Amino acid sequence: TFSCSSPDSDLFEIDPRTFKENIISLTDIADDITYIPLDNSIPIGITYTIRVTNNNIYMSIKDVGIVKYDKSGKIVHKIGTKGRGPGEYYYGYDFAVDERTGNVFVLEPGKVKVYTHEGVFMRDISYEKYIQASPGGLELFNSLLFIPDYLMHGNSKYCWILLDTTGNLVSYKENSIPEFQVNASRRGCVYMFENNLYYFNYFNDTIFSVSPDLKSKGEYLFAQGEHRWPRSKIEFIASIPQTQAWLYTMFQPGPMFETKKYIVLRYGYRDKNALCMIDKETKRTFLAYRFDNMLDNRTYSKPYLKNDLDGGIALSDPIKYYSENDKEFIITVVNAFDLKDHIARDDFRNSNPAYPEKKKEFEKLANSLEETDNPVLMMVRLKE
């Protein structure tokens, strides 16, 4: 496995083969939980990206586009229009928000579309001469657009580029991996923590950090070995169970973020599809998951962080991180139907969470909802 630069052997190595089965729940990491019901004015189906800022909540919704809410969950307005016409965006999966101006930057193939804080289209910013395809991960970093390339086609020139908001190339990271052929790639990950930005892809062993002065360095390593995704064409087996058995042998890192205390990685490896939390100080690993029986009678695991704060729904996919006024939060979106179903279960009725008064508040909220109401944003405040 190659890196974009020579890795430092002293970097902390993330190795799924060594993850220990230490159990963790919400009370181990958090001390408060709140819920924000989202306005029913626009029906919310499948959501792609959620961003929470100091003043607003932004959500990318399939067939609707990007919608801006205030912190109470009330719709402010839509950002632009979904479509193929001038000034419209067709996908709108990933976007970034400039908290200073309120401008919204929407990632599309070959270009970034810019909208005002009121959702009015301003201009396009092209990146296609630097990156042929970006499957997501747009960030606004020091007033610059960070656009990643995850090497998904095996012939990338850059790992990432940084453009100013008029489209000029300001900085970049060259890809040092020789060209290769691939027919089954995976998306990497970009995330922000404190003042730095972080990046990885499936074909490097290094997780890079980018500092405010735009210098990059290796921050962590993924352990090398046969468990890593191959830089070659994969001969898929006709039998679905055999193909799944092969996939289970591959380490598949998913969305990743950091808190002051933990490195948090959503991953798949062997019989685990789980959330791994790595204590930065002790390097001790904690796994959060549960096994479910599916319709095909197979047993699958999924990320599952038990909610023993108020006895409510566990945290599962997708889980996001944000900070505000030096407070840290993890968030997810839960369906109204699932909330109502949860309070009807015996395990909720019999639960003894850390905050019994919050259990009553949660039950009152769930009872106030209709099954067809829009989802609820679940916000968990992390311990200091």
Side-chain angles (χ1 to χ4, degrees):
T1 306
F2 290 81
S3 299
C4 287
S5 64
S6 299
D8 186 335
S9 59
D10 293 332
L11 298 183
F12 173 65
E13 189 174 73
I14 297 173
D15 189 344
R17 298 169 297 184
T18 65
F19 289 170
K20 301 298 183 184
E21 289 277 354
N22 298 306
I23 304 301
I24 194 167
S25 63
L26 215 49
T27 53
D28 296 315
I29 64 170
D31 57 13
D32 194 20
I33 187 168
T34 57
Y35 299 89
I36 302 176
L38 297 174
D39 195 325
N40 285 320
S41 300
I42 297 177
I44 298 174
I46 296 173
T47 59
Y48 298 125
T49 302
I50 303 168
R51 288 189 181 271
V52 178
T53 67
N54 289 352
N55 299 310
N56 296 105
I57 301 162
Y58 297 81
M59 186 175 296
S60 176
I61 305 168
K62 182 182 179 184
D63 300 326
V64 173
I66 299 166
V67 182
K68 179 179 178 180
Y69 301 84
D70 64 20
K71 278 295 191 67
S72 70
K74 182 180 179 180
I75 285 180
V76 179
H77 52 67
K78 290 177 63 178
I79 301 297
T81 304
K82 194 173 177 67
R84 295 182 179 271
E88 298 177 336
Y89 52 87
Y90 183 68
Y91 294 101
Y93 297 150
D94 280 276
F95 61 91
V97 180
D98 185 341
E99 292 203 46
R100 181 177 55 87
T101 65
N103 290 347
V104 179
F105 300 83
V106 182
L107 185 67
E108 291 285 282
K111 67 183 69 174
V112 175
K113 291 185 173 291
V114 188
Y115 298 85
T116 68
H117 69 96
E118 295 177 333
V120 178
F121 175 71
M122 296 173 64
R123 63 183 178 276
D124 289 333
I125 299 174
S126 175
Y127 63 83
E128 60 185 352
K129 69 178 179 180
Y130 307 111
I131 295 177
Q132 296 304 306
S134 178
L138 178 71
E139 291 288 349
L140 193 70
F141 184 62
N142 280 13
S143 298
L144 299 172
L145 292 171
F146 180 96
I147 304 174
D149 189 321
Y150 297 127
L151 284 58
M152 295 181 71
H153 300 299
N155 59 351
S156 301
K157 184 175 181 180
Y158 302 106
C159 291
W160 66 75
I161 61 171
L162 284 140
L163 304 178
D164 66 21
T165 53
T166 62
N168 296 312
L169 182 66
V170 175
S171 181
Y172 57 85
K173 182 72 171 178
E174 288 188 347
N175 167 41
S176 62
I177 296 180
E179 185 173 337
F180 58 93
Q181 297 292 318
V182 63
N183 63 343
S185 190
R186 290 291 189 273
R187 171 177 166 167
C189 179
V190 175
Y191 66 92
M192 300 274 290
F193 176 65
E194 294 184 333
N195 294 321
N196 290 339
L197 186 146
Y198 296 79
Y199 160 97
F200 74 77
N201 66 59
Y202 264 57
F203 304 105
N204 296 338
D205 59 344
T206 306
I207 300 169
F208 288 95
S209 66
V210 184
S211 58
D213 61 4
L214 307 186
K215 293 181 180 179
S216 62
K217 66 175 183 176
E219 197 72 35
Y220 309 109
L221 295 174
F222 286 131
Q224 300 181 27
E226 293 183 356
H227 63 292
R228 293 293 302 279
W229 199 262
R231 284 186 298 109
S232 60
K233 288 188 174 181
I234 299 170
E235 297 297 329
F236 286 102
I237 306 167
S239 164
I240 292 177
Q242 287 179 302
T243 301
Q244 289 176 330
W246 177 82
L247 287 172
Y248 288 161
T249 68
M250 295 289 102
F251 172 49
Q252 299 181 62
M256 180 174 173
F257 61 85
E258 289 187 49
T259 73
K260 293 174 183 177
K261 185 173 177 60
Y262 296 102
I263 301 167
V264 184
L265 175 66
R266 158 78 155 79
Y267 78 100
Y269 180 59
R270 296 197 178 276
D271 66 335
K272 297 291 189 304
N273 192 351
L275 199 68
C276 178
M277 306 185 72
I278 305 171
D279 188 302
K280 291 182 178 180
E281 183 177 350
T282 65
K283 304 302 185 289
R284 190 181 182 195
T285 60
F286 300 86
L287 300 185
Y289 67 95
R290 80 172 186 184
F291 285 100
D292 280 346
N293 292 318
M294 307 302 283
L295 294 177
D296 61 1
N297 295 321
R298 294 177 61 86
T299 300
Y300 297 89
S301 71
K302 67 178 183 180
Y304 185 90
L305 185 59
K306 182 181 177 182
N307 180 358
D308 50 358
L309 275 176
D310 64 2
I313 286 182
L315 268 75
S316 189
D317 286 339
I319 301 173
K320 303 274 288 186
Y321 166 90
Y322 93 101
S323 62
E324 180 180 341
N325 298 326
D326 207 36
K327 300 291 185 182
E328 295 184 293
F329 300 85
I330 53 176
I331 61 173
T332 191
V333 173
V334 291
N335 291 324
F337 174 86
D338 293 331
L339 287 172
K340 296 185 76 65
D341 178 70
H342 184 78
I343 64 169
R345 294 177 178 269
D346 289 340
D347 53 358
F348 172 75
R349 295 194 187 100
N350 298 329
S351 66
N352 296 298
Y355 299 97
E357 70 281 5
K358 285 193 170 292
K359 177 181 178 179
K360 294 178 181 177
E361 292 174 9
F362 172 78
E363 187 171 14
K364 182 178 179 181
L365 167 67
N367 281 324
S368 72
L369 298 172
E370 299 293 334
E371 291 182 355
T372 54
D373 280 349
N374 270 343
V376 173
L377 184 68
M378 178 177 172
M379 300 180 58
V380 178
R381 188 182 69 195
L382 301 183
K383 293 178 179 178
E384 294 184 1

